[in-house]
Amino acid sequence: MRRSMLLAVALAALIPAAALAEVTAITGASIHTVGPAGTIENGTVLFEDGRIVAVGTGVEVPAGAKTIDATGKIVTPGLFTPMGQIGLVEVSAVDGTVDYIQRGDRFSASFDVASAYNPRSTLVATNRIEGITHALIAPEPSWPDEFGNQSKVFSGLASVVNLGDGSDFLIERRVAVVVNLGETGSDLAAGSRAAAFMVLRTALDDARDYGRNVPAYEQGNTRQYSLSQADLETLRTVLDGTRPLLVRVNRANDILRVLELGADYDIRLILLGGAEAWMVADELARARVPVVLDALGNLPRDFDHLNSRLDAASLLAEAGVRFAIGANGAAQNHNARNITQSAGIAVANGLAWDDALAAITLAPAKIYGVDDEIGSLEPGKRADLVIWPDDPLELTSFAEQVYIGGEPIEMVSRQTLLRDRYLNPDAKKPPAFR
């Protein structure tokens, strides 16, 4: 018996400290759960082994738990940027660092960018130290390459990732199939919006026919389809409701045509961009189609954005449309962290504060079907959360500490390192030699 006890002690000594689950308690905070519990004043969040154990007042903190006193501070779920390519690009002007564009005829709808995601990208650290814990990574079209290979109306498959350091960065792979309509779709379909819709309908018809004739197709005894077999298989999952179409579209009339298409094929839809979605908000609410909104858009930068306005989020909320707040252009990658500013501007233009916080946490999680794991602070969910010294939607507020999977991340990025280097210069040597 004595030998067994000695052996057990010896084995325990060999277990790395990280393997022993540490219980962490954040106490005394104003906790915005974005869940059924609402806002809890002077509350405690208890988490262990990467999962939330308890949230509330009067939570018993186990002996030996690591305790963080957050009195007077705010705790929220980790933020979720619902559009972009974090981890798929470093410098957009350098082709070798851009992994979210696909050209050519071999793949379109089935192009899966998740295989190229780089958790060590400098964009990951830059964004996560400001509260971003999750991101949608999605393919995008681009101009033809030097060989004439073009992007297609279908861009491929989007996934949801966490911005932690671990190898288990995928929250959910292939959550939606990305398709481009409107002005972008017109450019990809020989210069006509109508042509882009015809490409989409033809592809869905082909996928339906393919699904009914798979054995004949594999034996070569069927007609030719407009897409590859891999693309047809992917679109079958859209037709059977397994995954939605994530449609890049902004003009109100185009949005109505998308709703008609969704009803014709009985498929799930998510709108991406939605500059003029407020103009057809009632129709979107009736169809229960959510919008991932660029809440900073208020300029007519092209004919698809003529009616952009800063109070679009509040108008969608009033109509009962589910929406998430994102960004557009380069801001959705290098500056995805600015979604707090987008949400704050939406509040300044009529959106309720709680709705704005939900639009950058729980709403995108619901839209992409991962709200059982992330988006709110509830027992059983991932311990992805942020401690803020003050209102996170204020422009001058910065995250104090971010937790991903229950682990505190190092609040350092390439930008902070450069800042500190040049704020505290070593006069003995010129910068190039430090």
Side-chain angles (χ1 to χ4, degrees):
M1 184 67 151
R2 179 180 174 80
R3 291 180 61 189
S4 299
M5 290 178 64
L6 289 173
L7 180 59
V9 170
L11 289 173
L14 296 175
I15 299 175
L20 300 175
E22 182 178 56
V23 181
T24 302
I26 300 173
T27 64
S30 176
I31 303 170
H32 295 269
T33 68
V34 199
T39 300
I40 302 169
E41 299 297 340
N42 193 26
T44 296
V45 183
L46 188 70
F47 49 94
E48 180 182 10
D49 201 22
R51 296 279 169 177
I52 296 172
V53 177
V55 185
T57 57
V59 173
E60 184 178 349
V61 179
K66 180 180 180 181
T67 302
I68 294 96
D69 183 5
T71 302
K73 298 174 183 178
I74 292 173
V75 173
T76 70
L79 309 183
F80 188 157
T81 175
M83 58 171 79
Q85 294 83 33
I86 292 176
L88 299 175
V89 59
E90 290 294 333
V91 182
S92 19
V94 179
D95 289 346
T97 73
V98 177
D99 288 314
Y100 57 83
I101 294 170
Q102 189 277 140
R103 303 178 180 91
D105 297 322
R106 187 174 183 184
F107 303 110
S108 58
S110 59
F111 174 54
D112 185 359
V113 294
S115 300
Y117 176 74
N118 177 20
R120 297 173 182 83
S121 166
T122 58
L123 274 65
V124 170
T126 298
N127 283 288
R128 73 183 180 187
I129 67 171
E130 296 199 32
I132 305 288
T133 58
H134 306 98
L136 182 86
I137 55 170
E140 276 195 358
S142 188
W143 53 85
D145 63 18
E146 64 270 27
F147 304 108
N149 297 312
Q150 294 185 329
S151 295
K152 304 297 180 182
V153 170
F154 289 101
S155 283
L157 292 154
S159 297
V160 175
V161 297
N162 73 69
L163 302 190
D165 288 322
S167 59
D168 57 342
F169 53 80
L170 276 171
I171 297 291
E172 190 69 33
R173 192 165 190 165
R174 307 183 186 102
V175 295
V177 179
V178 182
V179 64
N180 308 285
L181 296 176
E183 189 169 320
T184 301
S186 172
D187 291 341
L188 298 171
S192 170
R193 296 169 194 266
F197 273 100
M198 290 181 69
V199 168
L200 175 53
R201 285 184 174 272
T202 298
L204 292 172
D205 289 340
D206 282 352
R208 179 178 287 167
D209 185 78
Y210 165 79
R212 294 168 178 164
N213 298 281
V214 173
Y217 180 91
E218 292 177 344
Q219 294 173 12
N221 298 324
T222 189
R223 67 183 181 87
Q224 294 296 310
Y225 293 119
S226 60
L227 297 175
S228 68
Q229 186 175 14
D231 292 340
L232 294 170
E233 289 285 0
T234 296
L235 290 182
R236 285 182 68 188
T237 66
V238 172
L239 292 169
D240 67 17
T242 301
R243 55 178 62 97
L245 276 184
L246 179 58
V247 186
R248 286 194 178 95
V249 64
N250 285 288
R251 197 165 77 173
N253 187 64
D254 292 335
I255 292 172
L256 292 178
R257 301 290 81 75
V258 171
L259 295 183
E260 290 175 358
L261 180 142
D264 289 346
Y265 290 90
D266 191 25
I267 58 178
R268 294 190 291 139
L269 300 167
I270 303 168
L271 304 189
L272 183 59
E276 295 186 352
W278 64 269
M279 300 177 69
V280 291
D282 291 338
E283 290 86 345
L284 287 167
R286 281 196 295 270
R288 297 183 179 180
V289 172
V291 179
V292 177
L293 180 70
D294 171 14
L296 286 181
N298 70 326
L299 295 174
R301 66 173 184 262
D302 56 40
F303 281 93
D304 279 5
H305 291 77
L306 288 179
N307 294 291
S308 299
R309 52 192 290 176
L310 287 177
D311 61 349
S314 64
L315 294 174
L316 292 178
E318 288 172 12
V321 179
R322 181 187 296 171
F323 66 93
I325 289 177
N328 206 353
Q332 67 192 18
N333 297 321
H334 297 77
N335 290 311
R337 53 197 172 169
N338 288 347
I339 61 172
T340 53
Q341 180 182 354
S342 300
I345 288 175
V347 172
N349 286 273
L351 185 65
W353 193 95
D354 288 342
D355 290 342
L357 180 61
I360 55 176
T361 53
L362 184 59
K366 285 185 174 181
I367 287 172
Y368 294 122
V370 292
D371 54 302
D372 58 333
E373 281 284 294
I374 61 176
S376 60
L377 301 180
E378 301 177 58
K381 287 194 174 184
R382 283 176 54 95
D384 300 325
L385 50 102
V386 186
I387 301 175
W388 307 86
D390 45 31
D391 186 346
L393 303 190
E394 287 291 341
L395 188 60
T396 55
S397 182
F398 297 93
E400 185 173 288
Q401 182 60 61
V402 178
Y403 292 82
I404 299 179
E407 294 294 326
I409 68 157
E410 188 177 8
M411 301 295 283
V412 174
S413 72
R414 177 175 172 80
Q415 292 183 354
T416 65
L417 292 172
L418 289 170
R419 175 201 66 193
D420 295 342
R421 172 176 175 176
Y422 291 104
L423 277 177
N424 302 289
D426 180 356
K428 295 180 181 178
K429 293 180 181 179
F433 296 94
R434 291 183 202 136

